[in-house]
């Protein structure tokens, strides 16, 4: 298609730039994606033509203009010239997009990709009117905040996901997928673009967008777990708001608070700074490993703290849920012994959690493989290592201060998360064991055991949502808080799981 702008019979024409465009077509909270689609529709152009008109110098100096990943990002509008966009659209798309982006993400800890979808997520009713909002891209929302209907993640025609970028790879023309699906409900949509308004009907979304500076500051004190995928937790936004606003907590909301002044103990920050300064001053001294040894000692304290925490979980399970299945655990792996799902779950939970080399050495004197000192505390939760590293990074707030200044607080946070993850892993192994053992022969079960002995067949399925809340600066008691929300759908009826070795009354 030629880059020449074709002007249809328009309702309004921007006389200054000779474009078919009206600022009346832009609605509140609208995303750049649908604003650009409207412009492309009204002027019969492609995405690359839009970049040719409003692209920055880096884009225009290319002989062939293309919607590469570098220039097509719609969250940052990295391929566009701010002044050209403002003069062409009569609207500061850059600034409005930036402000909405800031409101949506707020002060959430972590990278933006954790909370914003990479694919186009939309409301069918909104898109019938040519409207799409950045709110639809927010992973904490599963329903449209304007119509309260589930959001759509794929083209209804071909079921493909469409990237949230400026591109023509998935569209034959504006608002029409290459499969033929037409997202608008009218061939002459200009009147709708002008007259249809979109009002937020979700109370949680309205509250989120209008948080005060103090409330945003509280949000900044919340540490979230990267292993939790917001799309799988429909109540995540309301859970966060209940903590930020300090509302009356729901019955399924459990809060564990640390002892008073936990952050006042375990302060090794001064020693860390002294060793770091000494290393800078005496850099020429060979083999001075004082700082390295100091870091290793701190790591060891965190590591052994989590080891003891996991031991207490193992002991508690053996004295409660597993107390009637200790015989099954002891004789696990014998071909002439019927397989008990509790023993199956216990053995492979400990093997994958604690990094045992073999499953038959568990409870028989074998020690798990230790964690490498170059990594953050593993406790044998090797599948959770990356996520635990992220927790420590957020807790350190981009520096290494808190890890050394508040070692007791670091231990408290890591151990609460480790316990939460470890117990959930056990529950998942119970579910897996019951399913795998049911109606299978001993030979089939044995073959399966050899396969799952090397990997964990799940990650964070059924994990109850949780977060860590740090105290405000003015909080004299300096309490850390661990919040989690129980879910009846995630509970297990252990008394209904059949064990072939259990004595019947």
């Amino acid at each position: 298609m030629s880059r020449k702008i074709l002007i249809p019979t328009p309702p309004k024409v921007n006389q200054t730039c000779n474009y078919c465009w009206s600022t009346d077509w832009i609605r509140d909270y609208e995303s750049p994606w649908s604003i650009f689609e409207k412009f492309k529709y009204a002027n019969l152009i492609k995405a690359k033509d839009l970049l040719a008109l409003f692209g920055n110098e880096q884009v225009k100096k290319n002989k062939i203009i293309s919607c590469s990943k570098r220039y097509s990002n719609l969250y940052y509008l990295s391929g566009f010239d701010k002044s050209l966009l403002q003069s062409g659209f009569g609207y500061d798309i850059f600034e409005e997009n930036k402000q909405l982006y800031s409101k949506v993400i707020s002060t959430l800890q972590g990278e933006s990709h954790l909370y914003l979808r990479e694919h186009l997520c939309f409301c069918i009713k909104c898109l019938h009117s040519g409207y799409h909002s950045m709110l639809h891209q927010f992973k904490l929302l599963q329903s449209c905040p304007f119509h309260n209907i589930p959001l759509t993640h794929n083209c209804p025609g071909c079921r493909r996901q469409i990237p949230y970028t400026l591109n023509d790879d998935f569209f034959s023309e504006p608002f029409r997928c290459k499969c033929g699906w037409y997202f608008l409900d009218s061939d002459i949509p200009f009147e709708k673009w002008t007259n249809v308004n979109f009002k937020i009907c979700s109370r949680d979304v309205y509250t989120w967008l209008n948080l005060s500076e103090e409330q945003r500051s509280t949000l900044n004190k919340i540490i979230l777990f990267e292993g939790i995928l917001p799309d799988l937790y429909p109540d995540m936004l309301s859970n966060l708001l209940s903590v930020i606003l300090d509302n009356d907590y729901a019955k399924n909301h459990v809060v564990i608070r640390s002892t008073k002044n936990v952050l006042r103990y375990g302060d090794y920050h001064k020693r860390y700074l002294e060793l770091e300064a000494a290393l800078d001053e005496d850099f020429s001294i060979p083999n001075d490993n004082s700082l390295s040894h100091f870091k290793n000692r701190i790591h060891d304290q965190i590591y052994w703290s989590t080891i003891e925490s996991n031991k207490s979980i193992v002991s508690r399970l053996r004295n409660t849920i597993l107390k009637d299945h200790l015989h099954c655990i002891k004789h696990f792996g014998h071909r002439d012994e019927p397989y008990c799902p509790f023993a199956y779950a216990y053995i492979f939970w400990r093997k994958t959690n604690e990094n045992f080399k073999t499953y038959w050495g568990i409870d028989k004197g074998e020690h798990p493989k230790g964690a490498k000192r170059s990594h953050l505390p593993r406790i044998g939760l090797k599948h959770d290592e990356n996520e635990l590293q992220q927790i420590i990074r957020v807790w350190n707030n981009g520096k290494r201060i808190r890890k050394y200044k508040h070692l007791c607080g670091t231990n408290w946070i890591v151990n609460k998360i480790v316990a939460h993850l470890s117990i959930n892993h056990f529950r998942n192994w119970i579910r897996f064991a019951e399913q795998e053992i049911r109606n299978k022969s001993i030979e089939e079960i044995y073959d399966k055991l050899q396969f799952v002995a090397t990997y964990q067949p799940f990650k964070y399925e059924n994990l109850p949502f949780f977060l860590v809340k740090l105290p405000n600066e003015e909080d004299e008691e300096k309490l850390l808080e661990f919040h989690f929300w129980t879910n009846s759908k995630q509970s297990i009826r252990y008394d209904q799981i059949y064990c072939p070795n259990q004595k019947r009354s």
Side-chain angles (χ1 to χ4, degrees):
M1 180 183 288
S2 171
R3 289 183 191 162
K4 183 178 179 181
I5 305 298
L6 300 177
I7 304 178
T9 304
K12 291 185 179 181
V13 175
N14 185 321
Q15 296 296 335
T16 304
C17 303
N18 203 31
Y19 306 143
C20 174
W21 182 250
S22 170
T23 54
D24 293 339
W25 294 345
I26 301 175
R27 306 286 89 188
D28 291 340
Y29 309 109
E30 188 162 9
S31 73
W33 184 85
S34 58
I35 292 175
F36 291 156
E37 285 296 297
K38 289 174 181 177
F39 189 93
K40 287 158 58 181
Y41 183 95
N43 293 281
L44 303 178
I45 63 172
K46 295 273 190 179
K48 64 179 181 179
D49 301 317
L50 196 71
L51 273 177
L53 287 169
F54 304 110
N56 56 32
E57 290 183 6
Q58 287 184 316
V59 171
K60 291 188 175 181
K61 72 180 181 181
N62 295 321
K63 291 183 179 180
I64 300 176
I65 295 178
S66 63
C67 298
S68 64
K69 187 175 181 179
R70 181 180 179 185
Y71 302 128
S72 62
N73 187 296
L74 294 179
Y75 288 121
Y76 306 113
L77 300 174
S78 49
F80 290 92
D81 182 278
K82 181 177 180 178
S83 59
L84 289 177
L85 274 181
Q86 187 165 2
S87 62
F89 285 80
Y91 175 83
D92 195 342
I93 297 178
F94 254 94
E95 188 58 31
E96 293 295 329
N97 188 60
K98 182 181 177 180
Q99 288 185 14
L100 183 55
Y101 177 92
S102 178
K103 279 190 171 184
V104 170
I105 293 296
S106 192
T107 53
L108 283 167
Q109 297 272 14
E111 299 294 329
S112 60
H113 70 84
L114 298 173
Y115 309 108
L116 292 174
R117 299 178 173 103
E118 295 182 357
H119 63 275
L120 182 70
C121 187
F122 56 92
C123 165
I124 287 288
K125 285 190 175 182
C126 287
L127 211 45
H128 279 168
S129 302
Y131 177 82
H132 174 266
S133 173
M134 190 191 289
L135 295 173
H136 296 145
Q137 297 300 117
F138 192 31
K139 289 184 180 180
L140 271 62
L141 300 186
Q142 279 74 48
S143 297
C144 175
F146 309 103
H147 296 104
N148 198 30
I149 62 174
L151 293 171
T152 302
H153 296 259
N154 312 82
C155 168
C158 62
R159 309 304 303 166
R160 289 197 302 175
Q161 281 192 345
I162 301 169
Y164 182 67
T165 58
L166 181 71
N167 74 85
D168 293 317
D169 295 340
F170 291 80
F171 293 90
S172 57
E173 60 183 80
F175 295 111
R176 189 185 297 277
C177 179
K178 283 192 173 180
C179 73
W181 184 271
Y182 192 49
F183 289 95
L184 302 179
D185 63 357
S186 171
D187 289 327
I188 309 175
F190 304 108
E191 187 175 349
K192 264 198 168 185
W193 294 354
T194 303
N195 298 327
V196 176
N197 291 312
F198 297 87
K199 183 179 180 181
I200 292 177
C201 63
S202 167
R203 183 195 226 168
D204 284 347
V205 174
Y206 181 83
T207 303
W208 181 263
L209 294 175
N210 292 280
L211 290 174
S212 66
E213 287 302 317
E214 183 181 355
Q215 291 164 343
R216 290 176 186 275
S217 175
T218 301
L219 178 60
N220 193 41
K221 298 288 193 299
I222 290 176
I223 299 178
L224 296 174
F225 184 63
E226 280 193 3
I228 287 178
L229 303 179
D231 278 320
L232 303 179
Y233 291 83
D235 297 326
M236 184 171 174
L237 182 61
S238 61
N239 291 344
L240 282 172
L241 287 173
S242 70
V243 176
I244 295 168
L245 304 177
D246 201 20
N247 291 338
D248 292 336
Y249 295 153
K251 290 181 179 179
N252 69 327
H253 183 178
V254 181
V255 184
I256 301 173
R257 294 181 174 87
S258 68
T259 57
K260 293 180 181 180
N261 301 315
V262 68
L263 296 179
R264 299 186 189 277
Y265 303 109
D267 187 351
Y268 295 90
H269 185 230
K270 183 178 179 180
R271 181 58 178 160
Y272 171 76
L273 293 179
E274 289 173 352
L275 291 171
E276 195 172 47
L279 185 64
D280 290 339
E281 292 174 4
D282 302 323
F283 187 73
S284 59
I285 300 177
N287 302 322
D288 185 356
N289 296 319
S290 300
L291 183 59
S292 177
H293 290 158
F294 169 79
K295 290 180 179 178
N296 285 339
R297 287 200 304 273
I298 296 297
H299 174 273
D300 286 346
Q301 288 192 49
I302 299 173
Y303 176 75
W304 288 110
S305 170
T306 56
I307 288 290
E308 292 304 314
S309 177
N310 201 56
K311 282 182 179 178
S312 68
I313 294 170
V314 171
S315 177
R316 179 184 174 188
L317 288 176
R318 288 177 64 91
N319 291 326
T320 55
I321 297 169
L322 300 172
K323 66 179 181 179
D324 295 328
H325 306 278
L326 298 180
H327 171 86
C328 306
I329 293 171
K330 183 177 180 180
H331 295 88
F332 180 81
H334 297 178
R335 279 184 176 267
D336 57 346
E337 186 81 11
Y339 278 91
C340 162
F342 290 91
Y344 184 118
Y346 172 80
I347 292 294
F348 285 100
W349 166 65
R350 289 201 64 187
K351 183 186 182 304
T352 54
N353 249 20
E354 300 172 59
N355 206 24
F356 278 94
K357 187 176 180 180
T358 61
Y359 70 81
W360 54 81
I362 296 172
D363 287 347
K364 294 180 177 66
E366 181 183 319
H367 295 285
K369 292 183 283 185
K372 296 179 181 178
R373 273 184 167 158
S374 59
H375 290 76
L376 289 170
R378 178 194 271 181
I379 75 148
L381 292 183
K382 58 181 180 179
H383 297 284
D384 306 317
E385 186 174 5
N386 291 335
E387 288 76 11
L388 287 174
Q389 288 180 357
Q390 175 266 339
I391 290 291
I392 296 289
R393 284 196 297 271
V394 175
W395 162 240
N396 281 333
N397 200 22
K399 305 174 185 178
R400 296 180 178 178
I401 295 177
R402 285 177 175 164
K403 180 178 176 181
Y404 300 115
K405 188 174 180 62
H406 309 294
L407 183 59
C408 290
T410 302
N411 284 335
W412 191 90
I413 291 172
V414 172
N415 282 319
K416 286 294 174 288
I417 295 174
V418 160
H420 195 69
L421 298 179
S422 185
I423 291 170
N424 190 68
H425 289 327
F426 175 76
R427 289 171 177 163
N428 279 335
W429 273 113
I430 280 284
R431 295 183 183 97
F432 182 81
E434 185 188 21
Q435 180 182 358
E436 287 303 315
I437 290 176
R438 188 181 299 155
N439 300 323
K440 285 185 172 62
S441 66
I442 294 295
E443 288 71 22
E444 288 176 311
I445 294 170
Y446 186 80
D447 291 340
K448 186 73 174 182
L449 288 177
Q450 308 313 305
F451 181 60
V452 300
T454 58
Y455 86 113
Q456 181 167 288
F458 34 74
K459 187 73 171 177
Y460 300 119
E461 286 89 339
N462 307 298
L463 179 67
F465 178 71
F466 73 92
L467 58 86
V468 175
K469 182 175 179 288
L470 308 181
N472 294 319
E473 297 299 327
E474 62 275 10
D475 184 359
E476 294 183 359
E477 294 184 339
K478 302 294 182 185
L479 297 178
L480 294 169
E481 294 180 358
F482 183 82
H483 296 247
F484 70 94
W485 285 258
T486 60
N487 188 336
S488 58
K489 294 180 181 179
Q490 297 166 341
S491 62
I492 298 176
R493 290 291 303 273
Y494 294 103
D495 59 335
Q496 295 183 0
I497 299 176
Y498 172 68
C499 169
N501 303 315
Q502 194 169 0
K503 293 180 180 179
R504 294 174 177 270
S505 55

